[in-house]
Amino acid sequence: MRYFSTLHPSRVAGLFHRAPQEFLRDSPADRLAIALGATLYTPAIRPHLADDIGRCHRAGVMSMVCCLEDAIRDDEVSAAEDNLAVQLGRYAAEGPDGPLIFVRVRTAAQIRQMADRLGDDLFAVSGFVLPKFRPDDEGLDRIAAVRKVSADAGLRLYAMPVLETPEVAAAESRLGVLRTMHQLFDTYRESVLAIRVGGSDLSGLYGLRRPAELSAWDISVLAAVLGDIVNIFGRCDGSGFPITGPVWEHFSRSGLAQEVRLDRANGLSGKTVIHPDHAVTVNALSVISHEEFSDAEAIAAGTGGGILRSAYRNKMNEVGPHRSWAERTLQRAEIFGVAATGVTSADLLHAVGAA
């Protein structure tokens, strides 16, 4: 799989200083976590799901979640499980070349049941999303089930817990429960691909819903939760985990670009989206600018600390404090590429739209 693969090679050469690099389903976890990009959620009940997956991938979607939880009614669960098994079987039979597929489940038993039903077709799945995660017996059972299914099948399957419960939202309990979850995830580190954040559920606990012209970071109670999640899970001392941006729930893209920029500035990567058109915006904004790349390369090459003047002559680069940022930037550059000098996200959006 490769981002912007729909563009003609000559167009890629004109837009990129360094083109995006290929990644595989069995690429290292840190590379896959970056490669999630815009993760599209879709109900597992969709009757033409296998075709939808291929169509969305051609539109630039590199990761999808087939939802057996909130996206379907309680009385549809059995039918959705049946449909998902059939549709993923069809998808697997076509020799899938993308996107990364995850299944959003309700219980640990459902993880085991879907793995059994898929059988050899489980290779087409990259893991499971664990909504409303709590560090209790049920949460432990779900994450342990992912590890067990992965080992039994001889496949690399990942868990992506979703932080969205009242205990995470409430100020008096938040830090304690986040620390407890961090300890649990650290125990299962090889199984946890990324931490997801349930922005809609967290906002709903306060009767809030952000309008399209505002970002999640403009809703103060939600911003406080996001900040604490980054504080606990986003550290660069080896204890951190990748954290993805909360869902953009509007069909309009009017405020999406600004929210993605704020997500990235606050340490989040990727984004949960509900429409394939959103992927174009998220992925274009994930490309590293030539200025960022220039700074990151200089910082990463620096030794012994000190201060370097940016090649763009508009800022200072401190080798010590900025090194972790530089390393993350260079990792993202491998997946999303580096824009050519003067090329903006608007140029990339226009090019992908035309393609």
Side-chain angles (χ1 to χ4, degrees):
M1 290 171 277
R2 189 195 307 269
Y3 277 94
F4 305 102
S5 60
T6 59
L7 295 176
H8 190 275
S10 63
R11 196 76 177 102
V12 172
L15 289 168
F16 287 90
H17 172 70
R18 288 197 179 180
Q21 300 301 302
E22 185 180 53
F23 62 95
L24 306 172
R25 292 178 184 279
D26 59 355
S27 291
D30 57 348
R31 189 173 179 86
L32 281 186
I34 296 170
L36 290 169
T39 301
L40 177 66
Y41 275 50
T42 187
I45 197 72
R46 289 180 69 91
H48 304 292
L49 182 58
D51 294 334
D52 294 340
I53 291 171
R55 175 176 53 82
C56 291
H57 184 51
R58 290 189 294 274
V61 174
M62 295 294 177
S63 62
M64 290 183 68
V65 174
C66 302
C67 185
L68 291 167
E69 201 232 3
D70 281 351
I72 60 172
R73 301 193 310 269
D74 291 342
D75 61 0
E76 292 180 315
V77 174
S78 180
E81 290 174 342
D82 293 341
N83 183 67
L84 183 59
V86 170
Q87 297 295 329
L88 289 183
R90 291 176 181 170
Y91 177 63
E94 296 173 358
D97 59 357
L100 304 173
I101 300 294
F102 299 85
V103 180
R104 180 177 167 112
V105 294
R106 297 180 177 219
T107 65
Q110 197 172 46
I111 294 171
R112 294 186 287 267
Q113 290 164 5
M114 290 308 304
D116 288 343
R117 295 189 64 170
L118 287 169
D120 291 341
D121 295 333
L122 187 62
F123 82 92
V125 174
S126 294
F128 297 87
V129 173
L130 312 181
K132 299 175 179 60
F133 194 91
R134 288 184 169 95
D136 56 11
D137 289 344
E138 170 60 20
L140 178 60
D141 286 347
R142 285 193 289 169
I143 201 166
V146 175
R147 174 185 278 184
K148 178 78 163 54
V149 165
S150 177
D152 289 348
L155 297 169
R156 188 176 298 172
L157 299 172
Y158 295 102
M160 291 200 290
V162 188
L163 310 190
E164 54 186 347
T165 59
E167 301 88 350
V168 170
E172 65 271 22
S173 57
R174 183 185 310 137
L175 290 179
V177 75
L178 290 179
R179 283 195 292 264
T180 301
M181 281 196 281
H182 184 277
Q183 292 171 355
L184 174 60
F185 298 157
D186 196 45
T187 302
Y188 287 86
R189 178 171 290 273
E190 77 282 358
S191 297
V192 177
L193 182 63
I195 308 298
R196 308 200 74 87
V197 181
S200 296
D201 280 57
L202 291 168
S203 298
L205 293 169
Y206 299 92
L208 304 175
R209 185 179 189 183
R210 71 186 186 279
E213 65 271 15
L214 295 178
S215 79
W217 300 94
D218 293 314
I219 309 302
S220 60
V221 69
L222 182 54
V225 177
L226 291 169
D228 282 343
I229 289 173
V230 173
N231 195 318
I232 300 297
F233 292 98
R235 301 178 188 182
C236 293
D237 57 2
S239 69
F241 292 86
I243 309 166
T244 65
V247 63
W248 180 258
E249 61 185 12
H250 300 279
F251 289 123
S252 166
R253 290 185 287 171
S254 60
L256 176 57
Q258 176 63 5
E259 183 159 300
V260 171
R261 291 188 184 98
L262 288 169
D263 285 347
R264 198 168 83 185
N266 284 280
L268 308 187
S269 63
K271 192 75 173 166
T272 299
V273 299
I274 62 168
H275 194 281
D277 286 351
H278 296 158
V280 177
T281 299
V282 175
N283 297 338
L285 286 163
S286 298
V287 174
I288 304 301
S289 72
H290 187 270
E291 180 176 344
E292 288 178 305
F293 181 71
S294 173
D295 289 340
E297 271 204 319
I299 292 166
T303 58
I307 296 175
L308 308 171
R309 186 175 64 176
S310 168
Y312 275 71
R313 298 177 178 270
N314 58 1
K315 71 180 77 65
M316 71 172 189
N317 292 322
E318 277 195 82
V319 173
H322 295 150
R323 184 174 295 280
S324 294
W325 168 85
E327 291 171 350
R328 285 184 172 184
T329 299
L330 295 176
Q331 288 173 339
R332 201 169 81 244
E334 292 185 9
I335 298 296
F336 292 100
V338 178
T341 305
V343 171
T344 67
S345 57
D347 297 324
L348 292 163
L349 283 168
H350 177 74
V352 175

